[in-house]
Amino acid sequence: MGRTPVAGVAWQALHYIEGMRRLGYGVYYLEDTQTWPYNPKTSRNDSAYTVKYIDRLMTWCGLGDRWAFCDVSQGGRVKGISELQLSSLLKEVDAIINVTGSSELRETHLQVPVRVYLETDPGVPQIEGSQGNRYTIDFLAAHTHHFTFAENFGQQGCLLPVVPFKYRPTRQPVVVDWWQADSRSKPNHEKGSNLARFTTIATWKQSNDIVWNGETYTWSKDRQFSQFLDLPTRSAQAFELALGGCDSKAITLLESKGWKISDALKLTKDILPYRDFIAGSRGEFTVTKDQYVRLRTGWFSDRSACYLAAGRPAITQDTGIGNILPTGEGLFAFNTMDQALAAVEAVNVDYEKHRRAARAIADEYFRAESIVGKIFKDAGL
């Protein structure tokens, strides 16, 4: 179960699907989030865009007609496989993997014996659970197994509150060979575009802040980037931000500080431009949401994992990942401006070494077969 159609989220789901398939599991994709269908061109409740997008994705990854979309704008009408096929399928399958926790499980889902909650955005669920939020507790309790990208959860130094669910650590799987040069459409750097730039793709402004123990933990990237606005002017390196949710005032400020700004929507309408942008970058420079950083969650970005798989070094704001992943070659974690500058300089001193190291980290720590296999083993499948 998942949600599309934004390229980053689509890649996230595709990596899980392919990891399962390569391990020999039969896989269906079900999108049943009970939310209105997304269409970047109109606000009308028209599911045609979403349905075509899912169909195109599933054809690309080889699932063909093994998918279903429950259209809340049409009273829950099922697209893809028939409603009867979906009903029969839910009586037969061994497990539901609720990727990103995007779907609220309903009665038909609860008949599936193994129901995995796969949390990619830790922080709010744990805090709400500790505060006795009934909806959150019931939502989590509907699942039989719980996994989180907060790999430090329950460990010393992690400030996430403990909740009465047995969370297991996990991270984003990546189909590493999908990001190799011979598996991609022609990448941007071969067209001479942005190979010289460190890049990232992000939503500039979002709202999902939460207060806990008198502290406000913020969600929006703009507050984190504000700490590093002067990075381009303090470095000879070029930087590009592909942004969504960014107004003209913020763009003007960023450009005045030396950042190149591009439109994330153009990159996220389909999966291949998104991949080509990453593969055509020198590496990634990115900040991390305050909730992940100050709570020392050990969270790591699914997008950054894709940069590593493409052999692109990643420089990312630290969430405590040093407990989990090797840093210093191919992957760098920073807290201060000086640390960020030092990481950029280190990559540029021996770029090819750091490219190889980035790819090696992806191969050892993010390979889809390994990540998905551990989830299924821990879930007793």
Side-chain angles (χ1 to χ4, degrees):
M1 303 180 74
R3 55 186 172 86
T4 55
V6 178
V9 177
W11 277 114
Q12 196 172 40
L14 289 171
H15 287 306
Y16 281 104
I17 289 169
E18 184 65 8
M20 294 177 205
R21 196 166 58 176
R22 291 188 181 191
L23 290 171
Y25 293 98
V27 187
Y28 281 79
Y29 177 80
L30 168 61
E31 186 156 323
D32 186 9
T33 61
Q34 301 177 56
T35 56
W36 296 103
Y38 170 77
N39 188 329
K41 297 181 180 180
T42 178
S43 59
R44 292 178 301 171
N45 301 322
D46 180 3
S47 64
Y49 179 91
T50 297
V51 170
K52 288 179 181 178
Y53 193 101
I54 295 173
D55 184 43
R56 189 165 69 248
L57 281 183
M58 296 303 108
T59 300
W60 182 86
C61 75
L63 279 193
D65 59 356
R66 297 168 67 90
W67 61 271
F69 172 74
C70 297
D71 189 352
V72 71
S73 71
Q74 296 187 10
R77 182 182 174 188
V78 178
K79 311 288 182 65
I81 63 175
S82 70
E83 187 169 349
L84 180 60
Q85 286 175 302
L86 177 58
S87 178
S88 298
L89 180 66
L90 290 171
K91 294 175 183 177
E92 298 170 359
V93 295
D94 298 308
I96 282 177
I97 314 297
N98 193 0
V99 178
T100 76
S102 59
S103 299
E104 182 178 348
L105 301 189
R106 295 185 284 118
E107 196 66 35
T108 54
H109 306 140
L110 296 177
Q111 63 190 318
V112 179
V114 175
R115 303 179 299 277
V116 172
Y117 168 69
L118 212 162
E119 178 183 273
T120 58
D121 293 315
V124 171
Q126 287 81 7
I127 292 172
E128 288 185 343
S130 73
Q131 292 172 335
N133 183 298
R134 194 69 254 166
Y135 173 83
T136 299
I137 293 170
D138 290 345
F139 174 82
L140 293 173
H143 299 80
T144 60
H145 298 77
H146 303 79
F147 293 82
T148 180
F149 278 17
E151 292 198 66
N152 285 337
F153 185 61
Q155 304 299 314
Q156 185 175 4
C158 180
L159 301 181
L160 285 174
V162 176
V163 290
F165 299 98
K166 184 180 179 181
Y167 269 102
R168 295 171 172 89
T170 191
R171 63 181 70 112
Q172 174 65 37
V174 177
V175 180
V176 178
D177 54 85
W178 280 355
W179 297 83
Q180 292 177 349
D182 58 1
S183 70
R184 296 192 306 264
S185 58
K186 192 175 182 183
N188 285 348
H189 69 265
E190 293 180 6
K191 303 171 188 174
S193 63
N194 66 338
L195 184 60
R197 299 189 185 103
F198 280 85
T199 69
T200 196
I201 306 167
T203 300
W204 179 250
K205 196 170 184 62
Q206 292 176 296
S207 179
N208 195 24
D209 299 353
I210 193 163
V211 177
W212 183 57
N213 285 346
E215 292 278 340
T216 298
Y217 293 89
T218 62
W219 178 255
S220 191
K221 285 284 187 78
D222 64 327
R223 301 187 187 188
Q224 298 301 93
F225 268 114
S226 67
Q227 303 172 53
F228 302 96
L229 285 178
D230 293 330
L231 182 64
T233 59
R234 294 189 56 182
S235 169
Q237 179 61 54
F239 297 89
E240 179 175 358
L241 304 177
L243 297 177
C246 191
D247 60 27
S248 58
K249 182 178 179 181
I251 291 173
T252 299
L253 172 62
L254 288 163
E255 289 178 338
S256 73
K257 297 291 187 178
W259 300 87
K260 175 179 171 58
I261 306 301
S262 55
D263 183 4
L265 183 59
K266 293 179 180 178
L267 298 176
T268 57
K269 285 183 179 179
D270 211 343
I271 59 172
L272 297 184
Y274 181 97
R275 182 172 65 174
D276 288 350
F277 180 82
I278 288 174
S281 302
R282 186 167 186 80
E284 182 181 36
F285 174 85
T286 189
V287 297
T288 310
K289 292 170 182 174
D290 173 64
Q291 289 177 14
Y292 304 151
V293 173
R294 283 202 291 144
L295 293 170
R296 307 304 290 167
T297 60
W299 177 91
F300 192 79
S301 164
D302 59 283
R303 182 198 57 257
S304 298
C306 293
Y307 273 88
L308 296 174
R312 299 298 181 257
I315 302 172
T316 181
Q317 196 172 6
D318 190 19
T319 64
I321 61 173
N323 298 337
I324 304 145
L325 300 170
T327 59
E329 289 189 8
L331 172 62
F332 295 82
F334 67 88
N335 289 303
T336 67
M337 176 70 81
D338 287 343
Q339 290 171 344
L341 289 166
V344 171
E345 182 179 359
V347 170
N348 288 337
V349 165
D350 194 341
Y351 181 60
E352 289 304 316
K353 179 185 78 171
H354 291 288
R355 281 196 59 186
R356 292 191 298 271
R359 184 56 185 272
I361 292 170
D363 198 48
E364 182 174 353
Y365 292 89
F366 293 92
R367 182 169 287 276
E369 298 91 324
S370 301
I371 302 300
V372 172
K374 188 175 188 309
I375 290 171
F376 275 59
K377 180 180 177 181
D378 289 347
L381 293 168

